[in-house]
Amino acid sequence: MKVLVTGGSGIVGHYVIDELYKLGHEVINADKFRMTSNLSHSGTTGRLASAEAAVKLREDWPENPTFFEVEISDYGQVISAMDGCDAVISLASRPSAANYVEEDVVRTNTMSMWNVCRAAEQLKVGRVALGSSYNAVGAMGTAARWEPRQVKPPEYFPLDQNVYTRSEDPYSIAKWLGEEMAEAFCRRRELQIASLRFHALLDPDEQRASKQPLLCRAERGIQLAQDHGRLLAAEAVDHVAIRARDDHRLADGAAALGHDRVHDHVAEERDT
């Protein structure tokens, strides 16, 4: 398949593209930044995710993906980049609420997901994976706004993909609204969309040091998902090659929360 990855020049994008190439897919990268050795523009750089580890992945790629410079909040640019693709993985967004005014975070991150879903609808691209966050339900980003020792519990435990949000900060709110948009597009068209609630990205060295606690959290989350008979988004979008791999370098937190969010209602009913 030909797969469009928005935000492919970032660190998460490198790992996703690496997966796609391993599965034999053709990749289109739509980003504001070209792939260089400098990934300072990526919001996931830091102590747990090194740019060096991500750049090193390119050594095993058959080629660098075709690149289109795209402003993700511009619908015309998004639909032009997506034309001719069979699937799309949407990662481009403001990486957090830090260093941006709230209005910009909400506008950019909601419009990016609207544009991707709308373009997929118009071009009849049937498989879409949206880069959401565990913050969509109101996690660390929201809890940081609470008073010391204040707790605002969710509706119920264990959390599943249908739990309502407690989000208060602009990043979390935008991620929740993006998931609601995906839900709406699946109601009105035959689309398969999954919102992948990423938690953290660990490069291989950091992953090895933290593997045991990650495995415990992930295995517990997967068991909760199985107990409730839900369809995991990693299964729903296996053809677009986003997977919570054995080393959990891409998406440990989704399993830790129990569920990504699947918006393909037909597939959900068929597989539960």
Side-chain angles (χ1 to χ4, degrees), residues 197-217:
R197 289 173 175 171
F198 297 140
H199 178 277
L201 178 73
L202 307 181
D203 66 42
D205 290 339
E206 182 64 30
Q207 178 270 321
R208 280 190 289 271
S210 308
K211 186 171 185 178
Q212 191 58 43
L214 281 177
L215 283 173
C216 291
R217 290 163 56 199

Side-chain angles (χ1 to χ4, degrees), residues 63-211:
E63 61 183 2
N64 279 339
T66 300
F67 175 77
F68 292 122
E69 184 175 332
V70 169
E71 170 53 62
I72 194 65
S73 60
D74 185 305
Y75 181 69
Q77 294 182 39
V78 172
I79 195 170
S80 293
M82 195 184 300
D83 191 22
C85 293
D86 305 298
V88 57
I89 299 171
S90 178
L91 302 174
S93 69
R94 296 296 190 220
S96 71
N99 304 316
Y100 302 96
V101 297
E102 293 193 349
E103 293 73 19
D104 178 67
V105 173
V106 173
R107 181 188 65 83
T108 302
N109 289 6
T110 55
M111 286 307 301
S112 66
M113 288 187 275
W114 173 273
N115 287 345
V116 165
C117 290
R118 178 63 174 144
E121 178 187 56
Q122 289 202 304
L123 294 173
K124 295 181 171 56
V125 176
R127 295 186 177 96
V128 179
L130 298 179
S132 186
S133 169
Y134 79 132
N135 283 294
V137 298
M140 295 300 292
T142 288
R145 302 171 64 90
W146 298 345
E147 297 297 324
R149 305 185 69 83
Q150 182 183 18
V151 176
K152 299 179 182 180
E155 298 171 287
Y156 53 82
F157 285 107
L159 304 183
D160 63 19
Q161 69 169 4
N162 298 313
V163 70
Y164 197 67
T165 185
R166 301 175 297 161
S167 59
E168 299 175 10
D169 65 288
Y171 179 83
S172 302
I173 291 168
K175 291 299 185 181
W176 177 260
L177 291 174
E179 293 187 5
E180 290 298 295
M181 291 176 195
E183 196 78 3
F185 276 100
C186 284
R187 284 195 296 268
R188 72 190 204 179
R189 292 289 189 276
E190 290 188 8
L191 288 173
Q192 183 182 13
I193 305 177
S195 297
L196 303 184
R197 289 173 175 171
F198 297 140
H199 178 277
L201 178 73
L202 307 181
D203 66 42
D205 290 339
E206 182 64 30
Q207 178 270 321
R208 280 190 289 271
S210 308
K211 186 171 185 178

Side-chain angles (χ1 to χ4, degrees), residues 200-243:
L201 178 73
L202 307 181
D203 66 42
D205 290 339
E206 182 64 30
Q207 178 270 321
R208 280 190 289 271
S210 308
K211 186 171 185 178
Q212 191 58 43
L214 281 177
L215 283 173
C216 291
R217 290 163 56 199
E219 288 170 355
R220 178 57 181 152
I222 291 170
Q223 184 60 52
L224 291 174
Q226 292 171 342
D227 289 346
H228 284 72
R230 299 288 184 181
L231 176 66
L232 287 175
E235 297 168 348
V237 294
D238 59 349
H239 293 295
V240 240
I242 283 194
R243 295 178 297 161

